[in-house]
Amino acid sequence: GATKTMSAGQQPAATPDGNIMMESNADIDEALAWKQNIFQFNNEELRSIMRQFARWYGVEVRYANGVPERYFTANISRDKSLATVLKIMELNDIHFRLEGKTLTVMP
């Protein structure tokens, strides 16, 4: 997928003719989501999502067979248990095995 570099808030960007226009971006939503205690994914790749889960739930993520090229858009409350979050992901055909603190993404 395409990579986008994002910065926080609104950045003034000068157009070639010297006019200043404001560029807003999606990072503000993500920062707000963090404060509101939700995971917010906007067409985000699985590896990035799993990194956030790993950080939040204190697990180590492994991939049994490489990283599936999958993208998700979702808002999930951080109050949910890891098991509940994994059930939500499994509805989208991503399967896991959790052993202790190691979460393996299955093919």
Side-chain angles (χ1 to χ4, degrees):
T3 40
K4 285 196 289 245
T5 307
M6 295 193 193
S7 55
Q10 290 196 311
Q11 299 280 333
T15 57
D17 58 9
N19 291 329
I20 300 279
M21 57 179 192
M22 295 304 279
E23 285 185 297
S24 67
N25 60 46
D27 251 16
I28 298 171
D29 289 346
E30 246 169 65
L32 283 175
W34 195 258
K35 281 197 193 82
Q36 292 165 351
N37 215 25
I38 56 174
F39 292 109
Q40 182 175 63
F41 307 125
N42 189 5
N43 201 24
E44 197 153 338
E45 70 168 333
L46 183 64
R47 184 193 296 268
S48 168
I49 291 172
M50 296 314 296
R51 257 200 310 266
Q52 292 184 53
F53 289 165
R55 199 166 62 207
W56 184 255
Y57 293 107
V59 293
E60 183 186 343
V61 176
R62 297 204 171 131
Y63 296 90
N65 193 12
V67 184
E69 181 109 358
R70 298 281 304 279
Y71 293 83
F72 297 92
T73 297
N75 289 332
I76 304 171
S77 167
R78 284 211 184 86
D79 296 336
K80 294 192 185 314
S81 68
L82 179 58
T84 302
V85 170
L86 296 182
K87 279 198 184 76
I88 294 169
M89 297 298 286
E90 288 187 335
L91 295 174
N92 292 289
D93 216 29
I94 299 287
H95 301 284
F96 305 94
R97 189 174 65 230
L98 183 60
E99 295 164 305
K101 286 282 180 193
T102 303
L103 179 63
T104 305
V105 180
M106 306 303 290

